[in-house]
Amino acid sequence: MKQNLENIRRRIADAATACGRDPQTVRLVAVTKTVSVDRVAEAIDAGIDIVGENYIQEARDKFDALYDRPLTWHFIGHLQSNKAKYAVRMFDLIHSVDSLKLARALDKAAQNNAKIQKILIQVNISQEESKSGTTENEAMDLVTDISRLEHVRIKGLMTMPPFFDQPERARPFFHQLARLQSRIADRNIPGVRMDELSMGMTGDFEVAIQEGATLVRIGTALFGARR
């Protein structure tokens, strides 16, 4: 585990340095879907400090078991509005907000918990029917609408490109999200920050970093293939 983590961090640093970025501007989100509590604890001991979970129930079990560990919790899966209250209780950042309905549910839950919930807007850049996310054309209006809510704060964007065996083929999708980030930032919408780009996984995170990723979501390279 420690060797895997050191290798990933080295690759992150090399990718960032190669394109003139400070490696400290890229953070690793350890994707812990289907990973046991013991394995997550081992990863924490090795040095991970951000975990990314895809499912509320699985996350609740791990959250309860690891509540005393120094972790930041990110939700990276598809989130249903009726699970918003659970997400708000556990997660510091929710990557996958793709509708005003979900944002309103999170806003209400955050108000009930006396919290300001940080979120990212998920954009389906590839327009794949199998993937969640707002469209690129609708993203600006969605960001504007969500910005009026009092208890959520938009911190950036997230996307998942199509799966490719060749990482370079994912580059146009990462580039497109970065361009959208710039366009939204240029609008100076009150309360909206475009600090984060969540993009890139085990197979393509170095290309994502070259295109501006600040959060890379890595599971397989850290924990091995899922069983």
Side-chain angles (χ1 to χ4, degrees):
M1 176 74 70
K2 187 173 183 181
Q3 186 63 46
N4 287 352
L5 181 58
E6 289 176 354
N7 182 53
I8 293 165
R9 292 201 187 283
R10 176 186 55 77
R11 290 172 62 188
I12 289 172
D14 288 349
T17 301
C19 61
R21 295 182 60 191
D22 180 352
Q24 297 299 316
T25 64
V26 185
R27 287 170 291 153
L28 167 63
V29 179
V31 179
T32 49
K33 179 174 69 173
T34 75
V35 177
S36 70
V37 169
D38 289 344
R39 287 279 283 160
V40 177
E42 184 184 347
I44 297 167
D45 292 338
I48 71 160
D49 54 5
I50 304 175
V51 298
E53 279 286 331
N54 291 70
Y55 303 112
I56 291 293
Q57 184 56 55
E58 185 180 344
R60 288 170 73 178
D61 295 340
K62 291 173 188 172
F63 186 85
D64 290 343
L66 300 167
Y67 72 94
D68 59 342
R69 304 299 294 268
L71 280 178
T72 301
W73 291 79
H74 289 198
F75 190 80
I76 60 176
H78 177 65
L79 182 61
Q80 296 173 317
S81 298
N82 62 359
K83 300 289 180 63
K85 60 183 178 181
Y86 304 115
V88 165
R89 290 173 193 166
M90 291 185 286
F91 293 101
D92 302 285
L93 181 66
I94 297 171
H95 291 222
S96 49
V97 178
D98 59 1
S99 70
L100 184 58
K101 177 184 177 182
L102 175 56
R104 284 172 170 159
L106 292 168
D107 181 68
K108 181 179 179 180
Q111 181 179 16
N112 291 340
N113 283 269
K115 177 183 180 181
I116 302 297
Q117 179 64 58
K118 297 176 183 177
I119 65 172
L120 306 180
I121 303 302
Q122 182 175 356
V123 185
N124 186 357
I125 289 287
S126 61
Q127 300 183 46
E128 292 177 276
E129 291 185 5
S130 61
K131 286 190 170 69
S132 301
T134 188
T135 67
E136 182 177 5
N137 290 338
E138 294 172 346
M140 189 74 73
D141 288 342
L142 180 60
V143 168
T144 301
D145 290 340
I146 293 176
S147 73
R148 300 187 180 104
L149 301 176
E150 294 185 10
H151 294 87
V152 294
R153 291 291 180 274
I154 298 172
K155 296 296 180 180
L157 306 176
M158 182 268 251
T159 200
M160 295 178 64
F163 174 78
F164 296 114
D165 289 332
Q166 300 152 314
E168 276 295 327
R169 294 180 64 189
R171 186 183 296 277
F173 301 95
F174 297 144
H175 184 71
Q176 204 168 334
L177 190 74
R179 289 182 62 188
L180 177 61
Q181 178 197 38
S182 295
R183 293 201 303 273
I184 294 173
D186 288 345
R187 287 285 185 93
N188 292 313
I189 301 168
V192 173
R193 299 292 298 268
M194 282 288 120
D195 298 331
E196 305 286 5
L197 278 182
S198 171
M199 58 188 194
M201 297 185 288
T202 289
D204 55 21
F205 70 87
E206 285 146 320
V207 172
I209 289 169
Q210 293 166 12
E211 293 297 331
T214 63
L215 295 163
V216 291
R217 311 180 302 269
I218 299 176
T220 303
L222 181 60
F223 297 104
R226 294 190 185 92
R227 296 181 181 136

